[in-house]
Structure formats: structure tokens, C-alpha cells
Amino acid sequence: MLSSPAEQNALRQTTDLESALTAVEACLVELAEALKNRDADSTEMASTALHRALSLAVDHSTRAARSGGMPPALRRRLAMAGGQVAALREAIARASVSLDKSIEILLPEAGTAKAASGYGAQGNPWRAASSGVAEA
């Protein structure tokens, strides 16, 4: 039986962290499924839910660490969730690049407009490509 307020607080922090971590894991499954199905609306909703769940889990893990640390099992689950987030981020980045390439193939003007929309390595794209020397 827990007798001190510190022990009760540590147990509450651990329970809160476990709940938050369970929510993160559920959101990861949801997002992976939405990405697999190529469902843009579900992907957007799942990524927003994951962002919120991760924020809450980080907050709870910080509190748990301050109040005596977190159990190794929760630490491992948190590390696994972090790895899954990184893997999904990588998958989203690859899908985004693939989509950009497909758009450039289908709509070449879109790629040109995108490149001309801002400054590049050579400076202002609207500037004439000259040596800067005036001719008489």
C-alpha cells in the first residue's frame, strides 16, 4: 500500500503517462492505416491527433521524470513510439517527394512556376542573366 503523498503522486504520474502512451500508440496505428489506404482526410486527422497525443505524452513523461523517473517498460514503449514516428515521418517525406515528381511530370508548368516563385541559389529568378556590364 502506498503511504506517502510522493508515492501516490509517482503512481498517478506513471498511470497518466501510460494512458498518454497508449493514446500515442493508437494514433500511430491510425496514421499508418490512413497512409496505407492513401486517404488524405484520414491522414490529416490522424496526424493531428498524433501531434496532440505526442504533446501530452511528452508533458507526462517530463512530469514522471521529475517525480522519480519512469518505469523501464514505459521508457521502452516511449522509445518504440519515437521510432515509429520517425519511420512514418520518413514515409510521408518519400510520398511527398513522389507526389511532387508526379505533378511535375503531369503539369510541367507547375514545376516551372514553383521554381520561379522565390529566390534560388542564383538570386532573383526574374533578374536578367548578364554580367552586369552595360554596353554602349
Side-chain angles (χ1 to χ4, degrees):
M1 182 168 169
L2 300 175
S3 56
S4 74
E7 289 174 324
Q8 291 173 353
N9 186 39
L11 179 62
R12 187 174 356 95
Q13 295 296 336
T14 301
T15 303
D16 290 346
L17 176 58
E18 184 160 12
S19 297
L21 192 50
T22 299
V24 167
E25 292 165 339
C27 289
L28 285 167
V29 169
E30 229 178 279
L31 180 57
E33 188 67 25
L35 287 169
K36 186 176 96 176
N37 294 333
R38 298 178 188 254
D39 183 346
D41 291 335
S42 294
T43 299
E44 181 70 27
M45 289 189 307
S47 63
T48 300
L50 177 60
H51 181 62
R52 276 192 231 115
L54 281 170
S55 178
L56 190 61
V58 167
D59 184 50
H60 285 300
S61 67
T62 302
R63 286 186 206 165
R66 286 185 192 146
S67 68
M70 70 177 87
L74 285 181
R75 191 171 297 157
R76 280 191 298 277
R77 282 177 60 195
L78 194 57
M80 290 292 292
Q84 289 175 324
V85 167
L88 287 174
R89 184 182 299 139
E90 178 86 16
I92 290 169
R94 275 195 234 114
S96 179
V97 167
S98 177
L99 178 62
D100 287 347
K101 287 180 181 178
S102 297
I103 289 172
E104 286 179 15
I105 290 169
L106 295 172
L107 304 168
E109 311 83 45
T112 306
K114 184 177 172 186
S117 66
Y119 290 95
Q122 303 303 317
N124 187 339
W126 297 287
R127 185 179 63 195
S130 68
S131 66
V133 177
E135 293 184 30

